[in-house]
Amino acid sequence: MGAGMDMEDKPEGGTVRSRRRSGNKEETGGGRQRSQGGEEVEKESMMMELTRLVQKTVKESSWWERRGIDCSILAAAFLCLPPAFLLLASSHLFCFLLGVMMMGVAHAVITTKGTHLASHGALSESQVWGKFWAVFFIEICGSFSSNVGIQSHIKMHHAHTNVIGLGDSSVWKVPFLPRFIYLFLAPLAVPVITPLVALTYLRGQPAVCVLRTILMVSLGLYSQYWLLIHVSGFQSPFTALLCMLVCRAMFSVPYIHVNIFQHIGLDMFSPTRRPKRIYQMSHGVLNLPRNLLLDWMFGHSLINCHVEHHLFPQLSDHMCLKVKPIVSRFLSEKQLPYLEDSYLSRLQTFFHRYQELMVLAPPITELVGVQ
């Protein structure tokens, strides 16, 4: 991924597709491109032009489209919890396994889709309610600190997407783990690791925030444990804790995969020479295809509309899906990449290029004529 790499070319070992045609640019020595007169003005206004198109669509959309559909999905996940706890009390194996599956799916929806939307304030237009939902979903349901989560995700990952040392997704790298362990076994420990990592990040936080996080995380974990004992009828703490681990880890493998597939292995930028936002996001973010299960559990903004999400992070999942044709068409018209690849293709790429992508430091990309 060197300087001036044409994004239509497929990276070695991958099948990333992008809809980018050769633009009205001149080739110079070494394959570099030089912008023709007047193009710099267009670059300055492209993000504003796209923003106007997206804002127009948002304003014409109903509340149901902007927030209602995603809130209904989250509500449905919570409504699955009472029958799940009751099914876990059944002596019939099928009913018990159905209860485990229902709780696992509900947990994935609440702790991934819910926490992600809450961290972006996409569940409510009110700042007060937005902060409430952030604490509820991230701390009580997700067992993490809302302050730290928002700081690392919004102010680092989104503000500095694919910028080396800032938002380069290196937080997901564990270089000492072999590739099979990292890709398929280590994610199962995420439910245990998450609250422990949250505690380490509380250093330096205000005492009130530290106390609130500890209380809220403890409330969320103990509530599920108490219900398993008193409603589902588990006879021992060990079996209750084991059930909690199984349900919380059920979809942690695709969760880790999604977080690394859509940024790592794409263009990375220097903190001192980053491109303009629309170039940064179009070159450094990738969409996965539609997947009914992952779309519902993780949300469109994390799966098939990740490019749209990084360009407009305040939009809900459904609105990202609605503006997807606008964004893809706009980037194509402006001869910018719109990166897409399948889940299986990305998994194969990371499996075969694990050392290069997850252990070694990534190369820095220079977008000639842009930076």
Side-chain angles (χ1 to χ4, degrees):
M1 299 175 68
M5 183 188 79
D6 191 334
M7 294 305 291
E8 269 188 303
D9 295 336
K10 296 177 182 178
E12 181 184 354
T15 59
V16 175
R17 305 190 308 276
S18 70
R19 297 198 287 267
R20 184 187 184 187
R21 298 181 297 275
S22 59
N24 186 26
K25 298 178 180 178
E26 295 181 3
E27 291 289 330
T28 61
R32 296 194 168 199
Q33 295 177 329
R34 175 166 54 87
S35 300
Q36 292 185 344
E39 190 174 344
E40 191 64 32
V41 177
E42 181 184 0
K43 292 175 185 175
E44 291 288 347
S45 62
M46 271 199 290
M47 189 64 204
M48 295 176 61
E49 183 181 349
L50 178 58
T51 300
R52 283 195 296 269
L53 293 173
V54 170
Q55 286 180 343
K56 182 177 182 293
T57 302
V58 173
K59 289 179 180 178
E60 294 172 350
S61 302
S62 64
W63 176 88
W64 175 251
E65 291 179 299
R66 295 196 310 272
R67 306 186 193 277
I69 292 176
D70 292 298
C71 290
S72 297
I73 294 173
L74 292 173
F78 281 106
L79 290 175
C80 286
L81 291 177
F85 279 109
L86 294 175
L87 285 169
L88 287 172
S90 175
S91 58
H92 297 284
L93 180 61
F94 175 79
C95 293
F96 178 82
L97 293 178
L98 181 60
V100 172
M101 179 61 67
M102 287 180 65
M103 186 168 293
V105 171
H107 181 268
V109 173
I110 294 167
T111 60
T112 305
K113 179 184 179 73
T115 56
H116 189 232
L117 290 175
S119 68
H120 285 281
L123 294 176
S124 174
E125 295 179 3
S126 166
Q127 290 187 354
V128 175
W129 277 107
K131 186 173 182 179
F132 170 81
W133 290 125
V135 172
F136 175 76
F137 279 102
I138 299 175
E139 298 192 354
I140 296 179
C141 302
S143 303
F144 202 73
S145 164
S146 63
N147 285 11
V148 175
I150 291 173
Q151 170 69 27
S152 60
H153 184 69
I154 308 297
K155 298 182 180 180
M156 294 299 291
H157 176 64
H158 273 273
H160 308 286
T161 302
N162 286 31
V163 175
I164 299 293
L166 295 172
D168 57 4
S169 300
S170 59
V171 67
W172 299 104
K173 296 184 178 182
V174 189
F176 60 85
L177 289 180
R179 60 183 175 180
F180 185 86
I181 299 296
Y182 178 89
L183 290 171
F184 302 109
L185 295 179
L188 300 177
V190 166
V192 176
I193 295 172
T194 300
L196 298 178
V197 171
L199 291 176
T200 63
Y201 276 112
L202 289 178
R203 297 173 185 173
Q205 294 287 319
V208 174
C209 294
V210 173
L211 180 61
R212 184 200 66 206
T213 298
I214 293 174
L215 290 176
M216 294 299 102
V217 170
S218 300
L219 175 63
L221 293 171
Y222 184 74
S223 296
Q224 185 181 12
Y225 172 80
W226 189 92
L227 289 168
L228 288 172
I229 295 293
H230 294 88
V231 175
S232 302
F234 281 73
Q235 299 299 313
S236 71
F238 174 77
T239 54
L241 292 173
L242 181 61
C243 182
M244 288 176 63
L245 177 62
V246 170
C247 294
R248 288 170 175 256
M250 189 174 295
F251 297 99
S252 58
V253 171
Y255 171 76
I256 293 297
H257 290 174
V258 166
N259 276 284
I260 63 175
F261 287 175
Q262 295 177 312
H263 293 284
I264 296 176
L266 304 180
D267 289 354
M268 294 285 170
F269 308 106
S270 165
T272 58
R273 286 182 56 79
R274 67 174 70 188
K276 298 185 189 307
R277 180 177 176 80
I278 194 166
Y279 291 91
Q280 180 181 352
M281 302 309 171
S282 61
H283 284 82
V285 186
L286 176 142
N287 283 346
L288 297 173
R290 293 291 301 270
N291 181 298
L292 181 61
L293 185 62
L294 295 183
D295 284 350
W296 273 76
M297 290 193 306
F298 294 174
H300 297 296
S301 60
L302 289 178
I303 305 299
N304 63 305
C305 299
H306 204 53
V307 174
E308 291 75 11
H309 171 63
H310 267 264
L311 288 168
F312 304 99
Q314 294 82 16
L315 295 184
S316 65
D317 286 333
H318 180 74
M319 284 308 302
C320 282
L321 183 64
K322 187 173 182 179
V323 304
K324 180 182 177 74
I326 298 173
V327 173
S328 61
R329 182 171 59 250
F330 182 88
L331 294 179
S332 178
E333 290 173 353
K334 300 300 182 181
Q335 298 153 14
L336 291 172
Y338 186 78
L339 303 181
E340 298 173 301
D341 200 6
S342 69
Y343 188 103
L344 181 59
S345 173
R346 293 300 282 169
L347 181 59
Q348 291 173 337
T349 297
F350 274 76
F351 188 82
H352 294 298
R353 298 172 58 196
Y354 182 80
Q355 179 77 11
E356 173 191 347
L357 297 176
M358 301 300 293
V359 178
L360 303 178
I364 295 177
T365 300
E366 291 265 353
L367 300 179
V368 180
V370 173
Q371 290 168 286

